[in-house]
Amino acid sequence: MLESTKSPPRLQLRPRTGLLFLLGPAFVAAIAYVDPGNVAANLTSGATYGYLLVWVLVAANIMAMLIQYQSAKLGVVTGKSLPDILGERFSTTGRRLFWVQAELVAMATDLAEVVGGAIALNLLFHLPLPVGGLIVGAVSMALLTVQNRRGQRPFESVIIFLLVIITIGFLAGLVLSPPDPAGMAAGLIPRFDGPDSILLAAGMLGATVMPHAIYLHSSLAKDRHPDARSTPGMLERVVKATRWDVVAALILAGAVNIGMLLLAASTLDGVAGTDSIEGAHAAIVNSLGPVIGVIFAVGLLASGLASTSVGAYAGATIMKGLLKVHIPLLTRRVISLIPAIALLALGINPTWALIVSQIVLSFGIPFALIPLLRLTANKELMGPHRDGLPLRVAALASVVLIVSLNVVLIWLTFSGQA
């Protein structure tokens, strides 16, 4: 059994605790926004449509800031995670049904992360994809033991270190191949170019606004700040720190995502064979040299390792909150690896699997987002920290946009036009 007999050390808040020391949970949640699914969707977008869909990433990142702040604030103010609260309010049947869809989303997330890490190991060391997937699973388990045995703060430090590697890996190529300013400006104008671009936009949205990160962030925030509600002044300070934490983390994640699309648009636009991560990597090597290719692959590996650890953490949080079932992370890690390893062993196109997994994630967003909006707008639950009218309007607009895009995606899929 993985869990230690001792509880992780609690972080005691003091009035003089600096703002910087209170940051961290959002950077763990932000890993979900730079996982291998993002790589596949963003590279495909840039290589296929150039700068056309830059606006999708900008809009998605703004929505992500809003959503993650609400999730973290819910955890800090109530002392409970989003799955905890839903588990208390749903009937037994409702809890189980909600858990099924949340678990499918978590499985799609884990699929993308393990496959992406396996691709990176194949690019770096020519390892077979199933072997790479097993290595990614094993290393992610080692990362999870840091959180389990040493507490959340050291785990945050490890994840932030990997986030720095991811940032360098995915943005280094822009130094040698800067994007076209006019193209970037044109890409900020909302528009599509046929049904396939809408399908890809839905995948990009699913890769950017992540349901499991919404569930997880509330848990990370309440565990990181267990004494936040000890005094009104301290709660106000932690809520403020949470806001800055989210803004800083999501600006970084957004820059990485947009940078990937810009790199593909400036380097891979019109190049044959860039509809897969392997092909895009080969084109990057041909255009920018082997050093940039290695840096990119290392960034992809860091992305897979960090995001699959965070994904397993999120899955355990969802199960515990909704079903009141707590299983060892090691057991969950092994079970969640099976679909990804099976897919890799069957030889299914891994990049295609990554993109499809992001589309699955986009369908799970409303199930996480609508309850979150209702709860953070509840004055009885949130007190003076309930969402104000501007925040509620912006959040509602986000829900309408996401649901509308998914309706269009369903129509395109079943009409045979996508």
Side-chain angles (χ1 to χ4, degrees):
M1 185 169 177
L2 177 64
E3 280 72 11
S4 60
T5 56
K6 295 183 179 179
S7 299
R10 287 163 55 109
L11 175 64
Q12 298 295 324
L13 294 175
R14 299 179 177 86
R16 293 185 296 173
T17 297
L19 180 63
L20 185 62
F21 187 74
L22 298 178
L23 305 183
F27 286 85
V28 176
I31 285 293
Y33 293 85
V34 289
D35 74 356
N38 293 84
V39 179
N42 295 335
L43 291 181
T44 300
S45 173
T48 306
Y49 296 103
Y51 301 99
L52 178 72
L53 298 179
V54 169
W55 68 272
V56 174
L57 288 181
V58 173
N61 203 64
I62 292 173
M63 288 190 290
M65 285 186 186
L66 172 70
I67 293 164
Q68 294 303 141
Y69 170 62
Q70 289 177 302
S71 175
K73 184 175 69 170
L74 179 70
V76 168
V77 172
T78 66
K80 300 176 182 178
S81 70
L82 176 58
D84 287 338
I85 297 174
L86 295 179
E88 294 172 354
R89 296 185 174 218
F90 285 164
S91 65
T92 300
T93 301
R95 284 191 291 109
R96 290 173 179 171
L97 291 175
F98 197 90
W99 171 77
V100 169
Q101 66 80 27
E103 192 67 31
L104 289 174
V105 167
M107 288 174 61
T109 301
D110 205 50
L111 172 67
E113 293 156 351
V114 174
V115 169
I119 292 174
L121 288 171
N122 177 262
L123 294 175
L124 289 168
F125 306 111
H126 307 291
L127 293 176
L129 291 177
V131 175
L134 290 172
I135 293 174
V136 169
V139 175
S140 69
M141 196 72 261
L143 293 177
L144 286 169
T145 60
V146 173
Q147 188 278 337
N148 197 53
R149 296 179 180 177
R150 298 181 179 273
Q152 189 168 315
R153 184 70 177 179
F155 179 68
E156 288 173 3
S157 300
V158 172
I159 295 299
I160 290 172
F161 172 73
L162 291 174
L163 183 57
V164 172
I165 295 176
I166 293 167
T167 303
I168 295 172
F170 291 147
L171 299 187
L174 290 175
V175 177
L176 299 181
S177 182
D180 173 38
M184 288 191 296
L188 295 175
I189 302 173
R191 63 197 194 281
F192 295 105
D193 183 15
D196 287 344
S197 67
I198 299 176
L199 183 69
L200 184 55
M204 294 166 67
L205 184 65
T208 306
V209 182
M210 303 288 277
H212 76 287
I214 298 173
Y215 298 121
L216 176 63
H217 200 165
S218 57
S219 179
L220 289 169
K222 64 103 174 172
D223 289 345
R224 178 71 145 74
H225 306 299
D227 301 313
R229 295 178 297 144
S230 58
T231 63
M234 183 57 68
L235 181 58
E236 186 69 34
R237 181 175 178 79
V238 172
V239 169
K240 178 181 178 181
T242 295
R243 185 162 53 244
W244 284 109
D245 191 27
V246 170
V247 170
L250 269 297
I251 284 178
L252 180 58
V256 172
N257 277 319
I258 294 171
M260 280 189 279
L261 187 150
L262 297 179
L263 178 63
S266 63
T267 306
L268 309 179
D269 191 14
V271 178
T274 54
D275 55 347
S276 68
I277 291 180
E278 298 94 331
H281 175 264
I284 290 173
V285 171
N286 290 334
S287 300
L288 304 178
V291 173
I292 296 297
V294 169
I295 294 174
F296 178 87
V298 170
L300 178 62
L301 178 60
S303 171
L305 294 175
S307 57
T308 195
S309 302
V310 172
Y313 193 166
T317 298
I318 293 168
M319 177 176 285
K320 183 180 179 182
L322 290 172
L323 299 186
K324 309 304 178 185
V325 173
H326 185 55
I327 64 173
L329 273 174
L330 177 59
T331 303
R332 181 177 180 87
R333 171 74 283 179
V334 171
I335 294 173
S336 62
L337 272 177
I338 294 174
I341 301 301
L343 183 145
L344 293 173
L346 291 172
I348 295 175
N349 185 309
T351 301
W352 176 84
L354 289 176
I355 294 175
V356 170
S357 73
Q358 304 314 300
I359 295 173
V360 172
L361 292 179
S362 72
F363 288 110
I365 295 172
F367 291 97
L369 196 51
I370 293 174
L372 175 66
L373 267 55
R374 290 178 61 87
L375 291 172
T376 55
N378 186 323
K379 188 173 183 179
E380 181 180 349
L381 182 67
M382 300 296 291
H385 296 285
R386 68 173 294 201
D387 292 342
L389 181 60
L391 187 57
R392 295 202 300 272
V393 171
L396 180 61
S398 300
V399 172
V400 171
L401 176 61
I402 292 169
V403 173
S404 299
L405 189 57
N406 284 330
V407 169
V408 173
L409 176 61
I410 293 172
W411 179 76
L412 289 174
T413 301
F414 288 97
S415 67
Q417 296 186 48

